Amino acid sequence: MSTQGYEEELRSERAYVADLHRRLDVERARVKARYEAALRGTGGTALERDDEVRALAKDAKRLAVADNGLCFGRLDSVTGERSYIGRIGLFDEERDYEPVLLDWRAPASRPFYVATGANPENMRRRRQFHTRGRQVVEFTDEVLGRPDGAQRGDAALLAAVNAPRGEGMRDIVATIQAEQDEIIRLDHPGVLVIEGGPGTGKTVVALHRVAYLLYTQRERMERHGVLVVGPNPAFLNHIGRVLPSLGESDVVFTTPGGFVPGLRVTAEDAPEVARLKGSLKILDVLKAAVADRQRLPEEPLTVELGGVRGRIDAETAQWAREEARAGGLPHNEARAVFAEIVTYVLTERAIPRIGKDWLSRSDRESWERLRADLVKELAQDEAFTAALDELWPVLTPRQLLSSLYTSPERLRAAGADQALWRADGEAWTVSDMPLLDELVDLLGRDKADDRAAERARKAETEFAAGVLDSLVSRQDSMDDEDHLFATDLLYAEDLADRVMERDTRELVERASADRDWTYRHVVVDEAQELSEMDWRVLMRRCPGRSFTVVGDLAQRRSPAGATSWDSVLEPYVPGRWVYRSLTVNYRTPAEIMAVAAAVLAEFAPDVAPPESVRACGVRPWSRQVTEDELPAAVEEFVRAEAGREGTSVVIGPPDVPGAVAASETKGLEFDAVLVVEPERIIADGPRGAAELYVALTRATQRLGVLHRGPLPAALSGLVELGTLAGRA
């Protein structure tokens, strides 16, 4: 194409994209008007109005984020038809809603991502736009269908991967590659495992898959939302912009330390303790710990009843305990059975003594009336309640687990390893979260709380009915033909809904606060780190077993983590999970990946490193320093990178000033990385080499290594520098 022809085409494309933005503005104004009308509306029930307001708010959010890169490409078919591809779909209402912009997730958009010269998908040309704000800056064309063009052109991809990193992961909606697109659009109702080495884009692919599922299955998914689980808060902050940038907001982000509503935990146990807590064997410990709190009295407990003294002895408590356990109810709910048996024994023993001079067993009516009085008396007796609390206490998960950890005697009674002992029972760790969650089911809820809630609801309904009756009583003085009465509009429960405070929180707020909330889909990133107990929590959260599982077994550091996907998933979804791998490294340049691959070969020789899509032309370096020189060398790196565009990080042992641990950078990427004392990282436990592999593969452009001791043999590919100045 000549320069003049290119300029004419560019003007035409700018005009078309400008028209798309005009249509977007019109649609935004329409949704805003409908939203404001819904806020003022009086039709339908309160819940229906709330649902309408929420739905319009979601539409407004989707339209708001579409401005950034609204249209990023065009497809020309062999028949001459043109299709523009963008973040959302737009339609021409004057032409029977003919699409003027295809949503990237629509089936018709798929050739934009998968067409190649050898397999053009009936397309003649793919055009990719580079935009700034609402303006098309330039475009590149790729002619399809030529036998010598087997691979997709990579100009847009290379521009994206070479660009300096900002604060947070970017979406790849404009540069999705064919192997990524196949995974994003995979039609599988069960569990999809995406495995890939560092930089293969598995996380961003999983997030785009969520956006695709929300687009194709919105009615099924949006009322329950999606849960995304990441390894740490920094990771969640890094990926948190991707789905909102794609117009999807019904997503809850959490870490394993946030499995319990109201707790956000980051502290970790020592490896051996984490292994103990992560194993399914801990279930037997928890059950035994609960049973240990269902006790028999060492000496009979006395209770005053109807003027006589009753006794709860071991025999009575044992019968009550056997009956309560036999029902299979959770601990707190079974307390009612325990109390009922004890109450029966106490009243049966007390009645003959209370009525020995005036009551015979043949007088059943008086007998039952006296029993009812005694039962009521026991229910209000503090000594009886205290006896129940001693023998069958109402427990919360935190109370039970804390008291277990701080008592060597209780640990022994539960068959637990004494390594679980700690002085502060509520110094919660990430490994405690699935145990606390499990105890919610083992302990159950206090039935008294449920009954109180039901009584409150009943009282509200009765009050509303009274209000309604007072309105109805005025109808007799009115002309039926000229008035619309309250009974034409309301039922008592509908009025009660209006009287009671409605839950107007967004889905994310409601789901995050509700332990029993269930999701339609769950994404698990760095899934190789999750323990068997973590998986129980997640399976409980998603009864439909619809998961996207992302990980790399070669990067596992947790002793409680997965050693194979089969062992993790087969117990829950036998035959319902599929495996896909990503093999191309879009993050790490070839020069850095060659160094990291040598480390990988030492601890996982059977794992092939991903193939880098590019080279950066900068060799990674190393420099040996003394203990005194180390702080200055780190500072020089930081100062040099501060003058460059992009991001940087120092990774090293915890006592290195300004450094973060490799585990804290999992899933993150930086333009420049300085790894400090790799010899100590390797020496720190059996997974030290995996930690070093993670550290080396965070860099997208530049990598440096500072070492005090001998450089590990696997890092012999680094260029050794005599001085750091000018080399960062």
Side-chain angles (χ1 to χ4, degrees):
M1 184 184 301
S2 67
T3 301
Q4 181 179 356
Y6 177 86
E7 291 297 331
E8 290 178 356
E9 284 279 296
L10 183 59
R11 283 193 294 271
S12 175
E13 299 294 24
R14 285 174 172 170
Y16 191 90
V17 172
D19 182 64
L20 292 177
H21 280 282
R22 180 189 62 78
R23 293 175 186 273
L24 177 63
D25 291 339
V26 169
E27 186 62 22
R28 281 176 173 169
R30 180 183 295 123
V31 170
K32 180 181 178 182
R34 291 177 59 199
Y35 176 76
E36 292 174 348
L39 288 176
R40 298 190 303 268
T42 57
T45 67
L47 291 178
E48 288 172 342
R49 292 197 304 276
D50 286 347
D51 286 346
E52 183 182 9
V53 168
R54 288 194 183 104
L56 289 168
K58 291 175 187 175
D59 288 343
K61 288 179 181 178
R62 293 189 187 106
L63 294 172
V65 299
D67 228 4
N68 183 21
L70 172 63
C71 177
F72 47 77
R74 188 185 97 186
L75 276 173
D76 296 354
S77 73
V78 293
T79 61
E81 297 176 346
R82 290 181 179 179
S83 299
Y84 286 83
I85 316 298
R87 291 181 175 275
I88 63 171
L90 292 174
F91 304 90
D92 189 336
E93 296 181 8
E94 297 177 358
R95 298 184 179 180
D96 294 329
Y97 286 88
E98 177 184 330
V100 293
L101 181 67
L102 290 175
D103 191 297
W104 67 275
R105 296 164 289 191
S109 299
R110 187 172 180 272
F112 184 79
Y113 299 108
V114 301
T116 65
N119 297 290
E121 301 278 335
N122 293 319
M123 296 296 151
R124 182 174 59 85
R125 176 168 52 191
R126 173 174 38 233
R127 174 168 291 179
Q128 293 181 293
F129 299 141
H130 174 55
T131 61
R132 186 177 298 118
R134 292 190 165 201
Q135 180 78 6
V136 177
V137 177
E138 60 183 359
F139 67 80
T140 57
D141 278 348
E142 182 181 0
V143 178
L144 303 169
R146 292 177 176 174
D148 59 344
Q151 299 297 321
R152 176 180 173 177
D154 57 6
L157 172 66
L158 290 177
V161 298
N162 280 315
R165 266 44 184 178
E167 297 299 326
M169 180 180 283
R170 297 168 293 189
D171 66 65
I172 58 169
V173 65
T175 58
I176 296 171
Q177 300 301 290
E179 71 166 357
Q180 298 172 330
D181 187 80
E182 186 270 334
I183 293 172
I184 290 169
R185 298 175 192 265
L186 186 65
D187 183 18
H188 180 71
V191 176
L192 167 64
V193 175
I194 306 173
E195 184 163 29
T200 53
K202 52 188 180 293
T203 296
V204 75
V205 167
L207 295 175
H208 283 67
R209 175 168 168 78
V210 169
Y212 177 77
L213 292 174
L214 285 168
Y215 174 80
T216 57
Q217 304 176 30
R218 190 168 302 282
E219 185 175 345
R220 185 182 75 87
M221 294 182 67
E222 70 176 354
R223 281 192 172 274
H224 288 258
V226 173
L227 176 66
V228 175
V229 180
N232 54 58
F235 175 84
L236 295 184
N237 184 60
H238 179 65
I239 69 171
R241 303 175 188 175
V242 174
L243 284 168
S245 77
L246 298 174
E248 302 300 346
S249 57
D250 289 338
V251 180
V252 174
F253 293 87
T254 191
T255 68
F259 282 164
V260 176
L263 285 178
R264 291 292 180 270
V265 177
T266 57
E268 295 187 0
D269 283 303
E272 176 59 18
V273 176
R275 185 189 65 79
L276 290 170
K277 292 180 180 179
S279 170
L280 291 181
K281 295 178 181 178
I282 200 70
L283 290 172
D284 293 332
V285 171
L286 297 179
K287 292 173 184 176
V290 173
D292 183 52
R293 304 302 293 272
Q294 300 163 357
R295 308 183 72 85
L296 305 180
E298 295 180 3
E299 298 291 337
L301 303 175
T302 60
V303 179
E304 294 291 336
L305 180 62
V308 301
R309 179 171 295 182
R311 292 168 17 117
I312 307 175
D313 53 28
E315 183 181 9
T316 298
Q318 181 163 344
W319 177 33
R321 185 170 72 175
E322 289 173 355
E323 290 294 323
R325 288 177 174 176
L329 293 172
H331 170 85
N332 289 335
E333 297 173 27
R335 172 182 161 115
V337 179
F338 182 85
E340 182 180 3
I341 298 296
V342 174
T343 297
Y344 173 80
V345 173
L346 290 176
T347 55
E348 283 296 303
R349 290 174 179 173
I351 288 173
R353 296 166 62 194
I354 295 171
K356 64 179 180 178
D357 295 328
W358 58 273
L359 183 64
S360 66
R361 284 195 174 272
S362 61
D363 186 359
R364 299 307 302 172
E365 183 177 348
S366 298
W367 190 283
E368 293 300 330
R369 188 162 52 248
L370 178 57
R371 185 203 303 278
D373 291 341
L374 294 177
V375 168
K376 185 180 295 184
E377 180 182 339
L378 278 178
Q380 298 171 349
D381 185 85
E382 292 182 0
F384 180 64
T385 300
L388 290 180
D389 289 342
E390 181 178 340
L391 302 178
W392 199 289
V394 174
L395 296 168
T396 68
R398 297 189 200 185
Q399 288 171 342
L400 180 82
L401 203 56
S402 176
S403 64
L404 177 67
Y405 288 155
T406 56
S407 171
E409 295 77 16
R410 283 180 173 153
L411 286 170
R412 278 194 295 271
D417 194 304
Q418 289 294 319
L420 298 182
W421 181 89
R422 65 188 185 210
D424 183 353
E426 295 205 357
W428 304 118
T429 66
V430 173
S431 300
D432 290 325
M433 296 303 100
L435 277 61
L436 290 171
D437 188 77
E438 189 74 33
L439 284 169
V440 172
D441 286 347
L442 290 176
L443 296 175
R445 290 161 175 78
D446 185 358
K447 282 298 185 182
D449 291 341
D450 292 342
R451 289 192 294 271
E454 180 58 29
R455 285 196 299 270
R457 172 66 185 176
K458 185 177 180 181
E460 292 287 355
T461 303
E462 290 174 351
F463 168 76
V467 173
L468 193 58
D469 288 342
S470 69
L471 294 174
V472 171
S473 66
R474 300 171 55 195
Q475 292 184 13
D476 292 339
S477 62
M478 299 180 181
D479 184 348
D480 289 356
E481 295 181 359
D482 296 331
H483 293 84
L484 186 64
F485 297 118
T487 48
D488 296 321
L489 300 174
L490 297 172
Y491 292 99
E493 289 201 359
D494 183 46
L495 187 57
D497 280 336
R498 299 188 184 195
V499 172
M500 296 177 70
E501 183 180 356
R502 295 198 308 272
D503 189 349
T504 58
R505 295 173 299 170
E506 295 292 334
L507 180 145
V508 169
E509 295 177 275
R510 290 180 284 132
S512 298
D514 186 356
R515 182 266 178 184
D516 294 324
W517 189 278
T518 57
Y519 297 89
R520 285 291 185 260
H521 191 76
V522 175
V523 176
V524 189
D525 210 317
E526 299 293 345
Q528 74 277 356
E529 306 297 346
L530 268 61
S531 69
E532 292 176 315
M533 289 298 294
D534 289 327
W535 283 106
R536 280 180 66 86
V537 176
L538 294 178
M539 292 297 170
R540 199 177 286 129
R541 298 291 191 274
C542 187
R545 303 291 195 262
S546 178
F547 281 72
T548 299
V549 175
V550 181
D552 180 9
L553 294 176
Q555 294 187 59
R556 178 179 65 85
R557 60 180 287 270
S558 171
T563 56
S564 73
W565 302 120
D566 184 84
S567 63
V568 166
L569 298 173
E570 276 298 312
Y572 297 105
V573 284
R576 284 192 59 226
W577 65 279
V578 296
Y579 176 90
R580 295 290 185 272
S581 64
L582 292 169
T583 59
V584 178
N585 189 327
Y586 300 99
R587 175 204 301 147
T588 316
E591 295 89 343
I592 296 176
M593 198 62 221
V595 175
V599 175
L600 178 67
E602 289 213 346
F603 72 93
D606 297 332
V607 178
E611 182 179 352
S612 296
V613 76
R614 68 190 172 99
C616 66
V618 179
R619 291 283 302 277
W621 55 265
S622 66
R623 181 189 179 207
Q624 188 166 17
V625 295
T626 65
E627 182 177 358
D628 293 338
E629 292 173 331
L630 182 61
V634 172
E635 177 58 30
E636 191 167 350
F637 168 83
V638 172
R639 190 167 52 250
E641 287 301 329
R644 292 190 172 107
E645 188 178 5
T647 60
S648 62
V649 70
V650 178
I651 302 175
D655 58 350
V656 174
V660 298
S663 60
E664 295 178 33
T665 65
K666 274 198 166 185
L668 308 184
E669 56 184 27
F670 305 88
D671 290 271
V673 172
L674 179 67
V675 178
V676 181
E677 297 192 90
E679 64 276 20
R680 289 178 59 195
I681 296 176
I682 286 182
D684 187 20
R687 301 300 299 174
E691 292 281 85
L692 179 58
Y693 181 61
V694 170
L696 296 172
T697 54
R698 300 306 97 193
T700 67
Q701 301 291 346
R702 299 176 295 281
L703 172 68
V705 173
L706 297 178
H707 60 104
R708 288 199 295 149
L711 193 67
L715 299 182
S716 59
L718 295 170
V719 176
E720 183 72 26
L721 301 181
T723 176
L724 185 65
R727 298 282 186 170

